Amino acid sequence: MIHFLLRVRQAIFSPIQKTQLYMQPRMIKGEHALLDLVDVLKEKHLTHYMIVTTPGFIKRGTLQSFFEALTQNDIQYSIFHDVKPDPEISDVEKLKEMFIKDGCQALIAIGGGSAIDCSKAALACVPMKNLDVKTVLHTGRVSKQLPLLIAVPTTAGTGSEVTAGAVITDPIKKRKYALSHLFLIPKYAVLDASLLTSLPAKMTSYSGMDALTHAIEAYINCFNNRKTNEYALCAIKSIFQYLVPSFEDGLNMQYRLELLEASYNAGVAISNNYVGYVHAIAHGIGGMYHLQHGMINAIILPIVLEEYGGAVVGKLATIADVVGITGATDQDKSKQFIQKLKDLNQIFSIPTSIPEIQEEDIHYLATGAEKEGNPTYPTPVTWNVAQFEKVIRKIKQGYTI
């Protein structure tokens, strides 16, 4: 009965979720797309921008030409670069206060998912003056249009430049909270390949596997439509084609741009059909043990797919066809595809397990994953807390290669 009620709710809300296909950001892409953004800003006639980025980009001088172009065109800006790799409630509070104090009218987020998610959450809180940041995050209340948000991803993984979500960590509860609202979709997404050339190979693999997880989960979920499937399969095919070459040759602009577009497409897919239990489990593990999100997803993904069993065989066989994996039956192709995911992890030196997981934490992690996943995510099967506990123990022990 519970499974039936979950499916009914998901079926009702699915058409509403699909409206995001028509709310995508305007894309600006190319080798130096960030400089092309200046012409767009000149047309906006806004007096002051907040630029959110990371200390590394400031230290390396990567954005100096962009800052100079802003100054030459009399575009005023402030810089906020105090964002942690997993942004916390305090980071959001600081950014919100600085945005208001400096009289900013719009925000440009230049960074990975952390910088973009922190920016989304802060802007969501700006119009909600009667509520503190923690209340907005815990209740998910976003009732007013945000100031202009422009997202410039510097990793090809999170898809935050196109999604309606943001993930923020509560360090006290050791849990990540997912804020979701159509108002959180950026108005512009700037895909600049040159900003990724300094990304270490390890982070290239982690972010690429994050994007791959997005696309796979969106595709195998229930209630997807033709358009969502097209975005997901396109992303999967590109990631399989370009992730390993980009891992080996990070200076290749074509590889970088292809992965940026793949991450964007995977972001569109999850915006319209959600992620699944891989992310529901990963958010808890990341919040508890402060491990890299893409790495966690990469480890969990083959384990969860195996646990889904026959419910995903047909769809995994279709994915296998798309990426060139052959087999005599759908079962063969499904099995080989999961093995290919394990092979990719091995190429990237990603572990097969997460030994950091403590037995005494498993029930808490399982409860959080079940609460996040049900009833929202239209996953191929429905798990209860006990089933989540079983899977989390498998993740702790690891899979066989």
Side-chain angles (χ1 to χ4, degrees):
M1 176 59 75
I2 293 176
H3 175 79
F4 173 75
L5 293 175
L6 289 177
R7 286 291 186 243
V8 170
R9 182 189 185 278
Q10 291 161 0
I12 291 171
F13 281 95
S14 179
I16 300 172
Q17 190 75 8
K18 301 297 185 291
T19 61
Q20 294 184 54
L21 281 168
Y22 309 101
M23 301 179 67
Q24 295 178 40
R26 177 182 168 187
M27 185 192 296
I28 304 172
K29 67 177 182 177
E31 189 172 327
H32 297 290
L34 185 59
L35 294 179
D36 296 334
L37 176 64
V38 176
D39 291 332
V40 174
L41 301 182
K42 286 159 60 177
E43 297 173 357
K44 296 296 179 184
H45 303 295
L46 298 177
T47 59
H48 204 110
Y49 287 84
M50 172 64 71
I51 297 176
V52 178
T53 189
T54 64
F57 273 100
I58 299 297
K59 184 178 180 180
R60 291 190 297 269
T62 309
L63 305 178
Q64 193 57 41
S65 59
F66 177 59
F67 294 149
E68 291 172 356
L70 294 178
T71 301
Q72 290 168 5
N73 286 278
D74 296 320
I75 298 173
Q76 302 299 311
Y77 62 92
S78 299
I79 301 174
F80 181 90
H81 56 77
D82 189 17
V83 180
K84 298 182 181 68
D86 286 307
E88 299 178 355
I89 291 173
S90 60
D91 300 317
V92 176
E93 188 68 60
K94 290 175 188 175
L95 176 53
K96 171 195 171 185
E97 290 176 357
M98 184 174 175
F99 186 93
I100 296 172
K101 178 174 174 285
D102 288 9
C104 298
Q105 297 171 298
L107 188 150
I108 304 170
I110 307 173
S114 297
I116 299 174
D117 282 6
C118 184
S119 299
K120 288 180 178 181
L123 288 187
C125 297
V126 167
M128 311 287 286
K129 295 181 180 178
N130 296 327
L131 297 176
D132 61 19
V133 170
K134 185 175 292 188
T135 301
V136 172
L137 292 174
H138 286 188
T139 63
R141 288 182 60 182
V142 184
S143 60
K144 295 183 180 180
Q145 185 72 45
L146 274 61
L148 174 66
L149 172 61
I150 299 168
V152 187
T154 59
T155 65
T158 70
S160 190
E161 69 276 7
V162 68
T163 65
V167 178
I168 304 297
T169 299
D170 184 334
I172 297 175
K173 293 188 175 183
K174 296 184 178 180
R175 181 72 196 170
K176 291 188 176 184
Y177 288 92
L179 187 65
S180 181
H181 198 283
L182 295 177
F183 288 162
L184 298 181
I185 300 175
K187 290 296 185 287
Y188 290 85
V190 182
L191 309 186
D192 188 330
S194 69
L195 297 177
L196 274 69
T197 55
S198 60
L199 190 67
K202 180 173 69 174
M203 287 306 301
T204 297
S205 65
Y206 290 171
S207 56
M209 293 303 291
D210 188 18
L212 183 60
T213 304
H214 290 162
I216 292 172
E217 290 205 288
Y219 182 71
I220 65 176
N221 276 349
C222 300
F223 308 117
N224 46 11
N225 60 15
R226 180 181 59 82
K227 202 68 179 173
T228 303
N229 287 343
E230 287 176 359
Y231 277 104
L233 291 175
C234 180
I236 293 168
K237 183 176 182 180
S238 292
I239 293 168
F240 264 76
Q241 185 174 353
Y242 292 105
L243 182 54
V244 173
S246 188
F247 176 77
E248 295 172 344
D249 179 11
L251 297 178
N252 188 298
M253 292 292 183
Q254 179 193 353
Y255 300 161
R256 292 297 194 182
L257 188 58
E258 292 285 353
L259 287 178
L260 276 171
E261 291 195 61
S263 176
Y264 180 97
N265 288 335
V268 174
I270 62 171
S271 288
N272 290 278
N273 212 40
Y274 295 105
V275 288
Y277 286 159
V278 174
H279 274 77
I281 297 171
H283 288 153
I285 292 174
M288 178 72 71
Y289 306 112
H290 305 288
L291 301 174
Q292 210 282 333
H293 176 69
M295 182 195 74
I296 298 171
N297 280 343
I299 297 168
I300 294 176
L301 181 58
I303 296 173
V304 168
L305 292 181
E306 287 176 341
E307 286 296 310
Y308 282 161
V312 295
V313 165
K315 288 189 174 182
L316 292 187
T318 300
I319 296 175
D321 290 336
V322 169
V323 300
I325 295 173
T326 58
T329 65
D330 283 356
Q331 187 74 42
D332 288 340
K333 288 188 281 189
S334 172
K335 193 172 182 179
Q336 288 188 52
F337 176 73
I338 294 174
Q339 182 58 49
K340 182 63 177 178
L341 295 176
K342 296 177 181 179
D343 293 342
L344 284 175
N345 284 348
Q346 195 167 17
I347 291 171
F348 303 140
S349 298
I350 292 174
T352 60
S353 65
I354 304 179
E356 288 85 354
I357 296 172
Q358 301 299 305
E359 179 63 31
E360 59 267 26
D361 296 333
I362 289 178
H363 180 71
Y364 177 81
L365 293 171
T367 302
E370 194 277 335
K371 184 177 180 180
E372 176 180 332
N374 302 330
T376 304
Y377 300 159
T379 47
V381 298
T382 303
W383 292 344
N384 57 29
V385 172
Q387 288 168 306
F388 273 108
E389 289 179 350
K390 171 189 169 187
V391 173
I392 292 170
R393 287 191 176 93
K394 286 190 175 184
I395 294 166
K396 174 180 171 62
Q397 294 167 359
Y399 59 78
T400 55
I401 298 175

